[in-house]
Amino acid sequence: REIFDKEARHIYYHNAATGETSWERPRAMGPTPHSSGWFGRGAAGSTAAGGYERNNADYLKRAARKQVDYIAAKNTVLEGAYEYNIWWGKHIGDHWSSKEASREPAETRCVLATDAGRTKADTLTRSRAAANFCLFFARGCCAAGAECRYFHRIPVRADLERFAKDESHDVFGRERHRDFRDDMTGVGSMTKPCRTLYVGSLVKAEYENPKALEEAIWRNFGEWGELENVNLISRLSICFVRYRYRSSAEFAKEAMANNHLDHGENLNVRWAHEDPNPVAADAAARADADAVVEMLKQRRGVAVDDVPGNFETPADYHAPKAPDDDDDDGDGQRTHKRLKPNEYYPDTSGQYPSPSADEPGSAWTPVVGQDGTSYWWNRATNETSREAPKDLADASAGQALRALDAADRARELAEAEQAAANEAAAPRAAAPPNDDDDARLPPGWAATTDEATGATYYFNAATSEVSWTRPAAT
């Protein structure tokens, strides 16, 4: 099964039967989805991850080699092009075209077998925690060698935890941006952790068949980190290379840009757009969801497995049934049943024990008086108090709050009942008497119309008697 490493924020594999763990994806689990989302899973049956760790350990036993004698200065200016744009921070002119300059074949290339080694970043403890990887080393043109303050090796699994703590910079220490550049070059995006590289300008005619070309891609790009998938589109002379870790993709992009495979190609390496194929998009969404579930399983108090419906509830507790849509009006329109106030939330009173008589403050009870105000009454001593009793300070805070809430609800209910009683007792304007009706009523009685209902009732002014039934004439 897949397990999420919360420190490195990556997935590894665990065999529940044998207790064995592995960073490589077991062959029995099959290939990874078309697009494995944010979290890489590795190629099925691959043992490459351990190989990078062992190689790095061997490289660090020796001092890093100087790849070139010197690094060319960045401030060289072509003759006849002296106009410098201070807004863009560069010279302008026809022979300063960024597109032409970026497509010049690389003059150097990094070879890990001979170039990688120990630098000051590895020997100084303080620097090791904050050091980044050398961009010039990745491009094969670092002149510092063992004196370099950056790592002269490739990112491996042991570096993942450090990368996870800083999402705003890439492995070379360059600041990531919110979105990709329009041409998909540059450092990359902070919000979209892309692990796939677009590789163009392949020369398929130089290879015996597409299988040989794909093998060369696996071999050359696999030098910089664990590959998850290579999708070669031979008819277009392009391919998409997906690494397991974003750090490997960042290193490989700089190492292979404008470089070659086996036959002098000038590769066009950029970040890849998200796969528009709905199948790949669904696979990535499922893969991300699986990884999130594995991450939640490691957090205490979060249950994501299937559990019984009465999990952690009393045996005699039944959740209230959700209201259905009923046609209460009989007009064919679906109307929502209105809940009563006591149906807003399930009744959980049975889950909590009632306070015992020995418990401090348990004898005090909130009471609402006739004037609508609330006070406290001690049922043991018959004592009353307008203020909160001192004994309540020893009771639990939750018990006191529930008691006060009950008092507030009782006071509101009493106020509502008093308002209804006042409204019912208020005098109502009598309708003009009907002479014919009054003539047939007993003496002292008069007919009056109720304003609220429109019904007729009868009132005796002498005795203040009221009747809905017509008095019999005497």
Side-chain angles (χ1 to χ4, degrees):
R1 57 176 297 186
E2 293 179 347
I3 302 294
F4 191 86
D5 186 344
K6 61 182 180 180
E7 300 296 335
R9 299 182 188 176
H10 282 283
I11 290 173
Y12 66 97
Y13 301 93
H14 171 69
N15 190 318
T18 63
E20 182 183 0
T21 60
S22 173
W23 279 95
E24 292 88 358
R25 185 177 181 86
R27 189 178 302 276
M29 296 189 68
T32 58
H34 292 284
S35 179
S36 58
W38 284 48
F39 309 99
R41 286 162 166 76
S46 172
T47 59
Y52 296 115
E53 297 277 354
R54 292 188 295 271
N55 291 341
N56 256 10
D58 293 338
Y59 297 152
L60 293 179
K61 296 177 181 179
R62 68 192 185 195
R65 184 182 74 90
K66 289 186 177 181
Q67 295 170 304
V68 294
D69 294 332
Y70 68 95
I71 299 177
K74 296 182 179 180
N75 58 353
T76 55
V77 180
L78 295 178
E79 184 177 356
Y82 303 115
E83 187 174 354
Y84 185 81
N85 189 308
I86 60 174
W87 176 262
W88 295 106
K90 63 181 181 179
H91 290 83
I92 61 176
D94 292 339
H95 42 291
W96 286 99
S97 173
S98 59
K99 291 185 178 180
E100 293 299 328
S102 63
R103 292 297 297 132
E104 292 182 0
E107 298 180 357
T108 58
R109 173 167 175 169
C110 177
V111 180
L112 292 179
T114 58
D115 298 343
R118 184 178 61 256
T119 64
K120 285 186 175 180
D122 297 293
T123 56
L124 299 179
T125 305
R126 183 176 300 177
S127 300
R128 191 183 308 124
N132 300 302
F133 290 80
C134 181
L135 179 62
F136 292 101
F137 166 75
R139 295 173 177 173
C141 58
C142 182
E147 299 299 317
C148 185
R149 295 181 292 109
Y150 301 96
F151 293 122
H152 277 212
R153 56 180 179 83
I154 61 172
V156 291
R157 186 175 60 224
D159 300 307
L160 298 180
E161 183 177 347
R162 182 165 56 89
F163 295 150
K165 296 178 180 178
D166 184 9
E167 297 284 350
S168 60
H169 295 83
D170 69 352
V171 296
F172 302 108
R174 300 176 300 180
E175 190 172 314
R176 294 189 180 112
H177 306 291
R178 185 173 67 89
D179 294 317
F180 289 104
R181 291 178 50 169
D182 292 341
D183 58 1
M184 300 303 286
T185 60
V187 179
S189 171
M190 181 170 55
T191 59
K192 299 177 182 178
C194 182
R195 299 181 289 110
T196 306
L197 300 178
Y198 161 86
V199 182
S201 302
L202 298 175
V203 185
K204 61 181 179 181
E206 297 291 341
Y207 297 87
E208 183 178 355
N209 51 50
K211 189 68 177 178
L213 175 57
E214 183 175 348
E215 186 276 332
I217 296 171
W218 276 93
R219 176 165 35 84
N220 284 273
F221 280 86
E223 183 178 3
W224 318 113
E226 184 180 357
L227 290 177
E228 197 171 84
N229 182 59
V230 171
N231 181 19
L232 172 63
I233 306 177
S234 180
R235 62 184 179 84
L236 299 178
S237 297
I238 64 173
C239 75
F240 295 91
V241 179
R242 187 171 77 233
Y243 283 88
R244 184 176 183 181
Y245 307 123
R246 174 169 59 169
S247 55
S248 301
E250 291 173 340
F251 194 97
K253 179 179 176 296
E254 297 298 334
M256 297 301 295
N258 301 327
N259 233 302
H260 58 85
L261 298 177
D262 296 341
H263 296 283
E265 299 92 341
N266 183 9
L267 299 179
N268 181 13
V269 183
R270 304 167 185 259
W271 294 112
H273 289 282
E274 294 182 359
D275 195 337
N277 188 339
V279 176
D282 291 344
R286 289 195 303 271
D288 288 343
D290 292 343
V292 171
V293 168
E294 293 299 330
M295 177 175 59
L296 291 176
K297 286 181 179 179
Q298 300 182 39
R299 296 187 179 273
R300 187 172 301 174
V302 178
V304 295
D305 294 324
D306 293 334
V307 295
N310 60 348
F311 180 67
E312 292 187 354
T313 58
D316 56 347
Y317 173 77
H318 300 284
K321 183 180 179 182
D324 299 326
D325 290 338
D326 297 328
D327 182 16
D328 295 335
D329 301 333
D331 56 358
Q333 299 293 330
R334 305 292 290 181
T335 57
H336 194 67
K337 181 186 293 183
R338 189 172 184 177
L339 291 174
K340 297 179 181 178
N342 61 346
E343 295 176 344
Y344 291 155
Y345 301 99
D347 183 10
T348 58
S349 301
Q351 299 184 32
Y352 303 96
S354 301
S356 62
D358 299 333
E359 193 174 331
S362 61
W364 288 97
T365 304
V367 180
V368 178
Q370 295 181 356
D371 58 353
T373 60
S374 59
Y375 62 93
W376 294 91
W377 170 64
N378 192 312
R379 60 177 176 268
T381 63
N382 207 30
E383 182 184 359
T384 60
S385 174
R386 290 288 182 183
E387 303 295 333
K390 183 179 180 181
D391 294 346
L392 284 179
D394 299 330
S396 64
Q399 176 187 349
L401 290 175
R402 287 195 296 271
L404 292 175
D405 289 342
D408 291 339
R409 288 195 298 270
R411 184 176 65 254
E412 292 173 359
L413 180 60
E415 292 175 354
E417 292 177 350
Q418 184 64 34
N422 294 339
E423 182 180 357
R428 303 180 183 277
N434 188 313
D435 296 339
D436 295 338
D437 290 344
D438 291 345
R440 293 191 291 270
L441 290 172
W445 287 90
T448 306
T449 302
D450 182 29
E451 292 182 353
T453 63
T456 301
Y457 67 95
Y458 302 92
F459 173 72
N460 192 316
T463 63
S464 298
E465 186 179 357
V466 178
S467 174
W468 287 99
T469 306
R470 183 184 181 86
T474 56

